[in-house]
Amino acid sequence: GYIFTWLGLVGGLLGTVAGILIADYWILRRTRLDLADLYRAGGRYWYDGGWNWRAVVAFLTGGVLAVGGADFHPLVDGRPIGALRSLADYGWAVGLGTSMVLYLVLMLSRGKGRTAV
């Protein structure tokens, strides 16, 4: 039981990371990066204190939906959020889709012409 619990948890959370990465690199930035700014504090890719809160919100939301209904037996009895049970079997896809869409919405709502913050 431990291996399936672990694989479900890791798979669901990796799906959320993949959704954010795909949305940012392929959709928002269209595969164009300024290499020097990747490593410069205050550069184009610098966010509030170094953290992109939009990505964090997308990760947490996608993660909860992806693994919140999973069965963590034998670690704990039951499921953390029973209502999300039907999503747990598709955790990777649920995490990917949720985080991708939410990240795009949050990043596009910040306004045109701004690449950071």
Side-chain angles (χ1 to χ4, degrees):
Y2 288 105
I3 191 71
F4 295 113
T5 300
W6 185 82
L7 287 174
L9 178 68
V10 170
L13 296 178
L14 285 178
T16 63
V17 171
I20 294 166
L21 291 174
I22 291 168
D24 193 71
Y25 181 71
W26 291 98
I27 299 171
L28 292 176
R29 303 196 194 279
R30 303 189 194 275
T31 70
R32 295 175 193 254
L33 294 176
D34 181 353
L35 188 60
D37 269 358
L38 279 173
Y39 302 100
R40 183 177 302 132
R44 177 183 302 176
Y45 309 109
W46 185 258
Y47 296 94
D48 298 328
W51 287 86
N52 182 350
W53 67 266
R54 293 165 185 89
V56 173
V57 168
F59 175 79
L60 292 175
T61 304
V64 166
L65 291 177
V67 300
D71 185 8
F72 291 115
H73 185 78
L75 300 176
V76 294
D77 284 338
R79 300 167 191 274
I81 305 171
L84 299 177
R85 181 180 185 169
S86 61
L87 298 178
D89 291 336
Y90 307 100
W92 188 86
V94 169
L96 178 113
T98 302
S99 64
M100 182 186 297
V101 169
L102 183 57
Y103 182 74
L104 286 171
V105 167
L106 292 173
M107 289 298 283
L108 292 173
S109 69
R110 70 192 156 96
K112 297 284 185 186
R114 296 182 67 194
T115 57
V117 178

